[in-house]
Amino acid sequence: DKVGTLPPGRLIFAGMTTLDLVHKVERLPRLGGKTAADASYFDVGGPAANAAITASILGADVTLASVLGDGPLPDYARGVLAAHGVGIDDRAGAGAQPPVASIWVNGSGERTILSTDNTKVEVALGAKHLVPDDTAAVLIDGHYPAIARTVAAEAGAAGIPIVLDCGRWRAVYAELLPLATDIIMCATFRPPDMVALAAEETVTAIYERWRPELCAVTRGANDVIAITDRGSTTIPVSQVRAIDTMGAGDVLHGGYMYGRYCAGSVPVAALREAVALASRSCEYPGARRGVEQAAQTRLRG
């Protein structure tokens, strides 16, 4: 399941960082009502940021290309990222700030999110490359199209693998999908001409059209479907006592980046390890503690 020792290199994660206010509640309040949270905390989130932190905890050399900006909240985000060993490449334009999200996690671990919009945030690309020469692979989450396009173009020109985190469809994916080495999509991801297809049909159609090394779809607690040139396989999702599913998909992406492009696992093996890591993260509050426990277990082993 290994392709051998890979040369040292950094992982670039390109996309969104958020500031999350998380409430743990048994049930959501009714409209106009009030309820007391069992617990609340403030944290850094976002697809690219969570994945970057995950890979860094596992031992990767990580840089996050995102939008932070200036002020107390961006400074808080910088502190959290730095504490987890994540390098920061801030491409915030004038007055840009990270989105702020309010998140409710209910008794079954499901989360509900209300977030400010990031689509009109100004991005400053500058003259400095986003993808250094020593990059082993990049992950792009589709947020901030200017950053996504630039990272994909630079990585593609240098022959550096491009991993796509495909959540909700965004127009920029039409440019990114043909360039991707690895595509990991959620069950609701649909290109415009595939909206009538089921998730199982979509992952097959995307693989056949663009022929990445790996094309996979995650389906919550159901099996993950992965397709490579060796055919299709299903990866069981461990049935755990989930107390918080927030960030589980991001943990999967960060774990896959580490396993595939740092540890040297072949695609399906790296994905299998990442799926197990994401399941484990659901047994703990937030998107960090399960990863930290897994990293400590590996070091002890």
Side-chain angles (χ1 to χ4, degrees):
D1 286 346
K2 301 287 185 181
V3 296
T5 303
L6 297 179
R10 79 180 74 190
L11 302 179
I12 302 296
F13 292 80
M16 190 164 65
T17 304
T18 63
L19 294 156
D20 297 345
L21 177 59
V22 184
H23 295 294
K24 180 75 174 179
V25 294
E26 191 60 33
R27 60 182 59 87
L28 298 182
R30 61 177 175 79
L31 187 64
K34 295 182 180 180
T35 192
D38 297 323
S40 299
Y41 62 91
F42 196 57
D43 201 358
V44 170
N50 276 336
I53 291 173
T54 297
S56 181
I57 291 172
L58 295 174
D61 179 1
V62 168
T63 297
L64 172 65
S66 189
V67 170
L68 293 180
D70 298 316
L73 292 180
D75 286 347
Y76 169 82
R78 284 190 181 86
V80 172
L81 292 165
H84 289 93
V86 175
I88 301 168
D89 185 357
D90 185 8
R91 299 294 173 136
Q97 295 272 299
V100 176
S102 183
I103 302 170
W104 297 271
V105 181
N106 69 12
S108 63
E110 295 178 308
R111 82 284 190 274
T112 302
I113 302 174
L114 175 65
S115 178
T116 52
D117 189 8
N118 73 323
T119 57
K120 297 181 180 179
V121 168
E122 183 177 345
V123 173
L125 293 177
K128 178 185 173 185
H129 286 300
L130 280 91
V131 182
D133 293 340
D134 63 347
T135 300
V138 303
L139 178 138
I140 303 171
D141 71 7
H143 293 276
Y144 303 122
I147 292 176
R149 291 188 187 99
T150 303
V151 169
E154 291 180 5
I160 294 168
I162 298 170
V163 180
L164 288 190
D165 166 2
C166 296
R168 178 169 50 88
W169 172 262
R170 297 174 179 84
V172 72
Y173 282 118
E175 302 169 52
L176 301 177
L177 286 166
L179 304 175
T181 311
D182 314 67
I183 299 169
I184 303 175
M185 49 179 272
C186 73
T188 57
F189 181 79
R190 297 288 189 283
D193 63 341
M194 299 182 189
V195 292
L197 300 182
E200 299 81 358
E201 298 169 317
T202 303
V203 69
T204 300
I206 288 176
Y207 176 78
E208 290 179 348
R209 180 175 299 177
W210 288 293
R211 292 288 173 173
E213 293 182 14
L214 170 85
C215 191
V217 58
T218 61
R219 302 181 297 164
N222 297 319
D223 293 353
V224 174
I225 300 173
I227 305 175
T228 69
D229 60 1
R230 296 186 176 185
S232 178
T233 187
T234 57
I235 299 173
V237 174
S238 300
Q239 300 305 302
V240 300
R241 182 179 176 274
I243 67 168
D244 189 353
T245 61
M246 190 178 69
D250 308 334
V251 168
L252 186 151
H253 298 134
Y256 180 79
M257 286 286 284
Y258 175 81
R260 177 80 175 97
Y261 293 107
C262 291
S265 296
V266 298
V268 171
L271 185 61
R272 195 181 304 277
E273 294 162 1
V275 168
L277 182 67
S279 295
R280 183 168 187 171
S281 76
C282 296
E283 298 180 296
Y284 298 85
R288 316 266 188 272
R289 287 179 56 186
V291 179
E292 290 167 344
Q293 290 290 329
Q296 292 170 8
T297 299
R298 189 187 68 209
L299 289 174
R300 288 196 296 268

